[in-house]
Amino acid sequence: MADAERLAKLREDLEKACKAQKFSKILKKANEVLTIDGEDADAKRCKAVALAKLDRCEEGLECCGDDEALQDVKAYCQYRLGDLEGALQADINNEAVAHVRAQTLYKQGKYAEAADIYASLLFDEREDQPKRSAADRRELEANYYAACALAGKGREAISRLKPPDDPEQHHELAYNRGCCEAQCGATEAPKTLEKALSGAERAVEEDGASIQEKTDETAQYAAQLAYALERSGDSSNAVERAKTLLKAKPSDAAVRFAATCTLVAARRDETDLFDSHKRLKPYAASNFSDLNDKHAALGRLLWARTLFAMGKHQDALSALAKPFSSAEDQCDAELLIAVHSQPEKQQKKKKSKGDGLRGKRRPRTLRAFTPSSWRRVDGVNAP
C-alpha cells in the first residue's frame, strides 16, 4: 500500500479512535501517522491530548514543546504536574485555556478570580460561543458554585443560576449549590443539601459500596447538611446529624473536624459541656496545629468558649493569647474575653446562680466550620 493510501487509512482510524475516546488507541494511531508525516498538526494534537488523558503529562508537555497551537494542552499538563505558575502563562484565547486557568486559580486559593472566569464562560451570550451539552453545562455550574462558595459570593451564584431540575440525580451539582446557599444563610440550604445527600447515598448503594465506603463517600454531604441546619437555627437537628456522622467514623479527618465544630457550635445553651470539651480536647492538645489557619482559628474560639462556660477562665485566656490573623476572628476572641473578664466576685455570683455564659452581654454565636474541600466536578479538561 502506498504511503498516501496508508496515511489516509491511519487518519481515518485516528478519527474513529478520537470519537470513541479510546486514548491508548489514539496515541498508537497518532504515532503511526506522525511516522509517515511528522508535521501533521492534527495527529500531534491528538498525541498530546492522549498523553495528558493517560496521565503521562511529562511526555505530553514534551510533545507540546513551544507550539502555540498546543498551549492549552501544555497548560493542562503543567497544572497536573503542579506547575501552577507555568499553567497561568498561557493566553486565554480559547475556552480550554480558560478552564485550566480557572482551576489553577482555584487550587491557589484565588476563588473570586476563578469564579469570575467560570461566570464569563457560563454567561457569555455571544453568538460565536460554543454550544454545550447539558452535562458540560452542569460541570461548569458545579465549578462556579464551588468557587463562589469559597469566595464568599454564594448569594451571587444562587441568584444567577436556577436550581438543578433533579437535585438527587445531579447530587454533586446540588451539593455545591447547597454550599452557596449555606454560605450566605439562605433558608433553602438544608432542603437542597438533604436532597443532595439522598442522591449521593442512592448512587453509592447502586455501586454496591460497603458500609464504610458509603460513609466516606457521603460524609461531606452529611457534614455540610449539619452545618446548614446549625446556620438556619435548627440546633437540635444539627446536633443529631453531627453526632450520627461522628458515630459512623468517616475516614476524612477534615470532615470529622467539621462535624465536631458544628456539634459544639450548635449547643447554644451550653449543654453537654463535658462532651464538647472531650471532643475538642484532642485538637487542642496540639494547639490545632494540624489544621489550616481558618479551621484552627475556629477550633480555638470554640475551645475557648467551652472553657469559659466550664469556668476554666485562665485556660480559656491562654487559648486566645495568640493573635488571630483574621480581623473577624480577633474581634470574636476579644468579645469573648470582654464578656468573661469580670471581677472575681461577680464571677462567683454568676456561678452561684448557675448562669454560665448567659449574662446580659453574650458573644455572637460562632458559625460552625464548613468543609473546604467542596465536592465538585474537575473542570480542567484537555481539549
Side-chain angles (χ1 to χ4, degrees):
M1 182 185 295
D3 278 353
E5 293 179 1
R6 182 164 176 264
L7 187 58
K9 178 66 169 62
L10 287 172
R11 284 172 173 162
E12 183 180 337
D13 291 343
L14 177 58
E15 184 177 354
K16 289 179 180 178
C18 288
K19 288 181 179 179
Q21 293 193 341
K22 296 180 177 179
F23 297 108
S24 293
K25 190 172 183 179
I26 291 172
L27 181 59
K28 178 183 176 183
K29 293 300 178 182
N31 278 329
E32 290 176 357
V33 170
L34 291 169
T35 299
I36 299 174
D37 182 1
E39 299 302 318
D40 190 305
D42 290 337
K44 187 175 180 181
R45 182 176 189 81
C46 289
K47 178 180 179 177
V49 170
L51 288 167
K53 288 290 189 179
L54 292 169
D55 206 21
R56 295 164 60 178
C57 290
E58 289 184 0
E59 296 173 71
L61 199 57
E62 184 178 351
C63 180
C64 292
D66 295 324
D67 191 338
E68 286 294 317
L70 296 175
Q71 69 168 333
D72 50 354
V73 187
K74 180 179 179 180
Y76 174 83
C77 290
Q78 289 171 317
Y79 167 83
R80 292 295 303 276
L81 291 169
D83 181 11
L84 302 185
E85 290 302 324
L88 291 174
Q89 298 307 308
D91 293 329
I92 303 183
N93 60 2
N94 60 47
E95 185 164 323
V97 174
H99 273 281
V100 176
R101 186 173 185 83
Q103 197 69 24
T104 301
L105 290 167
Y106 185 102
K107 197 166 187 178
Q108 290 182 326
K110 299 175 181 178
Y111 305 117
E113 293 179 52
D116 288 342
I117 294 177
Y118 286 128
S120 69
L121 294 172
L122 278 168
F123 307 119
D124 191 337
E125 298 179 351
R126 290 178 298 175
E127 293 183 359
D128 61 342
Q129 292 304 295
K131 300 297 181 182
R132 296 189 183 86
S133 66
D136 287 342
R137 172 79 184 187
R138 286 193 296 270
E139 181 179 299
L140 259 181
E141 289 184 0
N143 285 324
Y144 177 56
Y145 280 134
C148 283
L150 288 171
K153 300 171 69 173
R155 192 171 301 281
E156 172 189 310
I158 64 176
S159 67
R160 300 187 75 177
L161 293 174
K162 295 180 180 179
D165 294 330
D166 189 344
E168 292 191 24
Q169 176 65 29
H170 307 298
H171 53 86
E172 288 198 333
L173 176 60
Y175 173 86
N176 281 7
R177 181 179 175 91
C179 288
C180 282
E181 291 171 347
Q183 181 266 313
C184 67
T187 56
E188 61 267 30
K191 183 178 180 180
T192 301
L193 289 165
E194 192 150 15
K195 289 181 178 179
L197 173 60
S198 177
E201 290 175 335
R202 184 176 63 189
V204 295
E205 285 172 359
E206 291 174 353
D207 289 341
S210 67
I211 294 176
Q212 187 61 49
E213 287 171 337
K214 180 180 177 181
T215 295
D216 290 341
E217 191 65 25
T218 62
Q220 199 170 69
Y221 291 78
Q224 191 68 19
L225 174 56
Y227 167 74
L229 288 166
E230 190 275 332
R231 285 217 68 188
S232 68
D234 191 352
S235 299
S236 60
N237 202 356
V239 167
E240 290 308 311
R241 289 277 187 175
K243 287 172 69 175
T244 298
L245 176 57
L246 288 168
K247 188 176 180 179
K249 297 181 179 179
S251 300
D252 192 327
V255 170
R256 294 197 303 271
F257 180 70
T260 298
C261 287
T262 295
L263 177 60
V264 174
R267 288 168 169 168
R268 300 179 190 278
D269 58 355
E270 286 74 51
T271 58
D272 297 316
L273 286 173
F274 287 101
D275 182 67
S276 294
H277 183 274
K278 181 181 73 174
R279 292 179 185 276
L280 288 173
K281 189 175 180 179
Y283 301 103
S286 62
N287 294 318
F288 302 92
S289 59
D290 296 333
L291 307 168
N292 65 36
D293 289 346
K294 178 181 177 183
H295 305 161
L298 176 60
R300 286 172 60 199
L301 288 166
L302 288 172
W303 176 241
R305 193 186 82 170
T306 302
L307 291 171
F308 274 132
M310 296 177 73
K312 299 183 177 184
H313 295 266
Q314 193 57 49
D315 291 342
L317 292 172
S318 297
L320 299 175
K322 181 181 177 181
F324 290 80
S325 57
S326 162
E328 183 180 9
D329 292 332
Q330 186 63 38
C331 180
D332 279 339
E334 291 173 3
L335 185 55
L336 274 172
I337 293 171
V339 168
H340 295 281
S341 293
Q342 300 179 29
E344 186 177 351
K345 288 184 179 180
Q346 191 171 350
Q347 289 290 350
K348 288 181 178 179
K349 183 179 178 181
K350 287 184 66 178
K351 284 184 180 181
S352 67
K353 293 181 179 179
D355 207 10
L357 274 182
R358 289 168 285 191
K360 292 183 179 180
R361 293 185 63 203
R362 180 175 173 175
R364 67 181 177 83
T365 302
L366 296 175
R367 293 180 295 176
F369 162 69
T370 180
S372 61
S373 50
W374 307 87
R375 296 286 299 201
R376 68 185 188 280
V377 180
D378 187 352
V380 179
N381 293 307

